[in-house]
Short mmCIF file of all heavy atoms in Angstrom, two decimals:
data_model
loop_
_atom_site.label_atom_id
_atom_site.label_comp_id
_atom_site.label_asym_id
_atom_site.label_seq_id
_atom_site.Cartn_x
_atom_site.Cartn_y
_atom_site.Cartn_z
N CYS A 94 109.94 98.36 119.17
CA CYS A 94 110.28 98.86 120.49
C CYS A 94 109.26 98.60 121.52
O CYS A 94 109.70 98.25 122.78
CB CYS A 94 110.37 100.55 120.35
SG CYS A 94 111.79 101.10 119.33
N GLY A 97 110.25 95.43 122.96
CA GLY A 97 111.63 95.30 123.44
C GLY A 97 112.68 94.64 122.52
O GLY A 97 113.84 94.39 122.96
N ASP A 98 112.39 94.69 121.23
CA ASP A 98 113.24 94.06 120.23
C ASP A 98 114.03 95.20 119.61
O ASP A 98 113.77 95.51 118.55
CB ASP A 98 112.50 93.29 119.21
CG ASP A 98 113.38 92.45 118.33
OD1 ASP A 98 114.69 92.62 118.47
OD2 ASP A 98 112.92 91.70 117.53
N LEU A 99 114.99 95.75 120.34
CA LEU A 99 115.86 96.81 120.05
C LEU A 99 116.68 96.52 118.69
O LEU A 99 117.08 97.32 117.86
CB LEU A 99 116.68 97.48 121.06
CG LEU A 99 115.86 98.23 122.09
CD1 LEU A 99 116.78 98.81 123.15
CD2 LEU A 99 115.05 99.30 121.38
N ASP A 100 117.13 95.22 118.65
CA ASP A 100 117.99 94.91 117.51
C ASP A 100 117.12 94.92 116.32
O ASP A 100 117.64 95.38 115.18
CB ASP A 100 118.50 93.39 117.78
CG ASP A 100 119.60 93.36 118.76
OD1 ASP A 100 120.32 94.37 119.13
OD2 ASP A 100 119.82 92.25 119.50
N ALA A 101 115.95 94.42 116.22
CA ALA A 101 115.13 94.56 115.07
C ALA A 101 114.82 96.00 114.73
O ALA A 101 114.75 96.43 113.58
CB ALA A 101 113.76 93.74 115.21
N ALA A 102 114.61 96.84 115.82
CA ALA A 102 114.27 98.33 115.60
C ALA A 102 115.53 98.95 114.87
O ALA A 102 115.35 99.79 114.07
CB ALA A 102 113.91 98.95 116.82
N LYS A 103 116.63 98.61 115.41
CA LYS A 103 117.87 99.14 114.92
C LYS A 103 118.00 98.80 113.35
O LYS A 103 118.47 99.68 112.55
CB LYS A 103 119.01 98.81 115.66
CG LYS A 103 120.36 99.39 115.31
CD LYS A 103 121.48 98.95 116.29
CE LYS A 103 122.80 99.38 115.89
NZ LYS A 103 123.88 98.91 116.74
N LEU A 106 115.71 100.78 111.23
CA LEU A 106 116.10 102.06 110.96
C LEU A 106 117.28 102.08 109.86
O LEU A 106 117.25 102.91 109.00
CB LEU A 106 116.79 102.74 112.29
CG LEU A 106 115.84 103.50 113.17
CD1 LEU A 106 116.48 103.94 114.49
CD2 LEU A 106 115.18 104.73 112.40
N CYS A 123 112.90 108.96 115.10
CA CYS A 123 114.09 108.92 116.07
C CYS A 123 113.56 108.90 117.47
O CYS A 123 114.06 108.14 118.28
CB CYS A 123 114.90 110.20 115.82
SG CYS A 123 115.85 110.19 114.28
N ASN A 124 112.42 109.79 117.74
CA ASN A 124 112.02 109.72 119.17
C ASN A 124 111.40 108.33 119.52
O ASN A 124 111.48 107.89 120.67
CB ASN A 124 111.08 110.86 119.29
CG ASN A 124 111.70 112.20 119.58
OD1 ASN A 124 112.78 112.25 119.89
ND2 ASN A 124 110.83 113.27 119.25
N THR A 125 110.69 107.71 118.58
CA THR A 125 110.12 106.46 118.83
C THR A 125 111.23 105.40 119.15
O THR A 125 111.11 104.69 120.22
CB THR A 125 109.32 105.95 117.51
OG1 THR A 125 108.27 106.88 117.27
CG2 THR A 125 108.91 104.57 117.66
N PHE A 126 112.29 105.46 118.43
CA PHE A 126 113.33 104.58 118.72
C PHE A 126 114.07 104.84 120.09
O PHE A 126 114.29 103.95 120.93
CB PHE A 126 114.42 104.68 117.63
CG PHE A 126 115.53 103.77 117.77
CD1 PHE A 126 115.58 102.44 117.65
CD2 PHE A 126 116.89 104.34 118.29
CE1 PHE A 126 116.66 101.60 117.86
CE2 PHE A 126 117.97 103.47 118.47
CZ PHE A 126 117.85 102.04 118.25
N LEU A 127 114.19 106.12 120.37
CA LEU A 127 114.93 106.54 121.58
C LEU A 127 113.98 106.16 122.75
O LEU A 127 114.45 105.77 123.90
CB LEU A 127 115.31 108.01 121.60
CG LEU A 127 116.52 108.30 120.71
CD1 LEU A 127 116.60 109.85 120.60
CD2 LEU A 127 117.67 107.72 121.09
N ARG A 128 112.72 106.36 122.71
CA ARG A 128 111.77 106.02 123.75
C ARG A 128 111.85 104.60 123.89
O ARG A 128 111.80 104.06 125.21
CB ARG A 128 110.37 106.39 123.33
CG ARG A 128 109.94 107.70 124.02
CD ARG A 128 108.49 107.89 123.93
NE ARG A 128 107.86 107.74 122.71
CZ ARG A 128 107.78 108.58 121.60
NH1 ARG A 128 108.41 109.77 121.78
NH2 ARG A 128 107.30 108.30 120.48
N GLY A 129 111.94 103.71 122.96
CA GLY A 129 112.00 102.26 123.03
C GLY A 129 113.28 101.93 123.79
O GLY A 129 113.24 100.96 124.64
N ALA A 130 114.36 102.45 123.36
CA ALA A 130 115.62 102.23 124.07
C ALA A 130 115.56 102.65 125.51
O ALA A 130 116.32 101.98 126.39
CB ALA A 130 116.71 102.90 123.33
N SER A 131 114.98 103.68 125.83
CA SER A 131 114.97 104.06 127.20
C SER A 131 114.20 103.18 128.14
O SER A 131 114.30 103.27 129.35
CB SER A 131 114.30 105.51 127.30
OG SER A 131 112.90 105.50 127.14
N THR A 132 113.34 102.22 127.64
CA THR A 132 112.66 101.31 128.49
C THR A 132 113.58 100.11 128.93
O THR A 132 113.14 99.37 129.82
CB THR A 132 111.51 100.64 127.77
OG1 THR A 132 111.93 99.96 126.52
CG2 THR A 132 110.50 101.76 127.42
N CYS A 133 114.77 100.11 128.37
CA CYS A 133 115.80 99.15 128.89
C CYS A 133 116.15 99.66 130.25
O CYS A 133 116.10 100.79 130.69
CB CYS A 133 117.07 99.13 127.98
SG CYS A 133 116.77 98.33 126.53
N ARG A 134 116.69 98.59 131.02
CA ARG A 134 117.16 98.97 132.45
C ARG A 134 118.19 100.07 132.31
O ARG A 134 118.97 100.09 131.47
CB ARG A 134 117.59 97.62 133.14
CG ARG A 134 116.74 96.65 133.45
CD ARG A 134 117.42 95.44 133.98
NE ARG A 134 118.18 94.87 132.88
CZ ARG A 134 119.36 94.20 133.16
NH1 ARG A 134 119.84 94.12 134.39
NH2 ARG A 134 120.04 93.74 132.26
N THR A 135 118.25 100.97 133.36
CA THR A 135 119.18 101.95 133.43
C THR A 135 120.57 101.32 133.44
O THR A 135 120.85 100.48 134.16
CB THR A 135 119.00 102.81 134.68
OG1 THR A 135 117.59 103.30 134.67
CG2 THR A 135 119.86 103.95 134.66
N GLY A 136 121.38 101.83 132.58
CA GLY A 136 122.78 101.49 132.66
C GLY A 136 122.93 100.14 131.69
O GLY A 136 124.00 99.55 131.67
N SER A 137 121.86 99.69 131.23
CA SER A 137 122.00 98.47 130.47
C SER A 137 122.70 98.73 129.10
O SER A 137 122.59 99.71 128.48
CB SER A 137 120.54 98.01 130.03
OG SER A 137 120.60 97.08 128.99
N PRO A 138 123.65 97.83 128.75
CA PRO A 138 124.41 98.00 127.49
C PRO A 138 123.52 97.98 126.26
O PRO A 138 123.87 98.53 125.32
CB PRO A 138 125.42 96.74 127.54
CG PRO A 138 124.94 95.90 128.51
CD PRO A 138 123.95 96.59 129.41
N CYS A 139 122.32 97.32 126.35
CA CYS A 139 121.48 97.26 125.25
C CYS A 139 120.97 98.69 124.74
O CYS A 139 120.95 99.05 123.64
CB CYS A 139 120.25 96.34 125.37
SG CYS A 139 118.97 96.96 126.47
N ALA A 140 120.83 99.48 125.75
CA ALA A 140 120.17 100.84 125.46
C ALA A 140 121.41 101.77 124.91
O ALA A 140 121.15 102.43 123.99
CB ALA A 140 119.69 101.52 126.77
N ALA A 141 122.49 101.60 125.53
CA ALA A 141 123.58 102.44 125.09
C ALA A 141 124.03 102.11 123.67
O ALA A 141 124.31 102.79 122.82
CB ALA A 141 124.75 102.27 126.11
N ARG A 142 124.23 100.78 123.40
CA ARG A 142 124.62 100.22 122.16
C ARG A 142 123.64 100.50 121.08
O ARG A 142 123.96 100.95 119.97
CB ARG A 142 124.89 98.77 122.29
CG ARG A 142 125.51 98.11 121.04
CD ARG A 142 125.92 96.66 121.28
NE ARG A 142 124.74 95.82 121.63
CZ ARG A 142 124.61 95.27 122.84
NH1 ARG A 142 125.47 95.44 123.80
NH2 ARG A 142 123.52 94.55 123.12
N ALA A 143 122.30 100.49 121.40
CA ALA A 143 121.40 100.66 120.38
C ALA A 143 121.09 102.13 119.96
O ALA A 143 120.81 102.36 118.80
CB ALA A 143 119.95 99.99 120.90
N THR A 144 121.28 102.97 120.94
CA THR A 144 121.05 104.32 120.66
C THR A 144 122.29 105.07 120.13
O THR A 144 122.14 106.20 119.63
CB THR A 144 120.63 105.12 121.78
OG1 THR A 144 121.50 105.04 122.83
CG2 THR A 144 119.26 104.56 122.35
N ALA A 145 123.41 104.46 120.05
CA ALA A 145 124.61 105.13 119.66
C ALA A 145 124.48 105.73 118.23
O ALA A 145 124.96 106.87 117.98
CB ALA A 145 125.72 104.20 119.67
N PRO A 146 123.98 105.13 117.20
CA PRO A 146 123.83 105.68 115.82
C PRO A 146 122.96 106.89 115.80
O PRO A 146 123.33 107.89 115.15
CB PRO A 146 123.21 104.58 114.94
CG PRO A 146 123.45 103.34 115.70
CD PRO A 146 123.44 103.69 117.07
N VAL A 147 121.95 106.86 116.61
CA VAL A 147 121.05 108.04 116.72
C VAL A 147 121.68 109.29 117.43
O VAL A 147 121.71 110.35 116.98
CB VAL A 147 119.66 107.70 117.36
CG1 VAL A 147 118.83 109.01 117.57
CG2 VAL A 147 119.02 106.65 116.63
N ARG A 148 122.30 108.93 118.50
CA ARG A 148 122.98 110.05 119.28
C ARG A 148 124.18 110.61 118.54
O ARG A 148 124.47 111.64 118.78
CB ARG A 148 123.45 109.38 120.67
CG ARG A 148 122.33 109.21 121.67
CD ARG A 148 122.79 108.62 122.96
NE ARG A 148 123.27 107.31 122.93
CZ ARG A 148 124.45 106.90 123.09
NH1 ARG A 148 125.40 107.68 123.48
NH2 ARG A 148 124.89 105.52 123.03
N ARG A 149 124.76 109.77 117.71
CA ARG A 149 125.98 110.38 116.95
C ARG A 149 125.47 111.04 115.75
O ARG A 149 126.35 111.53 114.84
CB ARG A 149 126.87 109.18 116.59
CG ARG A 149 127.58 108.62 117.65
CD ARG A 149 128.59 107.59 117.32
NE ARG A 149 128.90 106.67 118.42
CZ ARG A 149 128.95 105.42 118.45
NH1 ARG A 149 128.68 104.76 117.34
NH2 ARG A 149 129.27 104.66 119.41
#
Side-chain angles (χ1 to χ4, degrees):
C94 289
D98 191 352
L99 290 180
D100 289 334
K103 185 176 173 183
L106 268 177
C123 292
N124 283 339
T125 298
F126 179 74
L127 291 172
R128 262 192 313 276
S131 71
T132 60
C133 287
R134 291 177 294 146
T135 306
S137 168
C139 74
R142 190 174 54 249
T144 60
V147 175
R148 287 183 286 118
R149 291 185 200 132

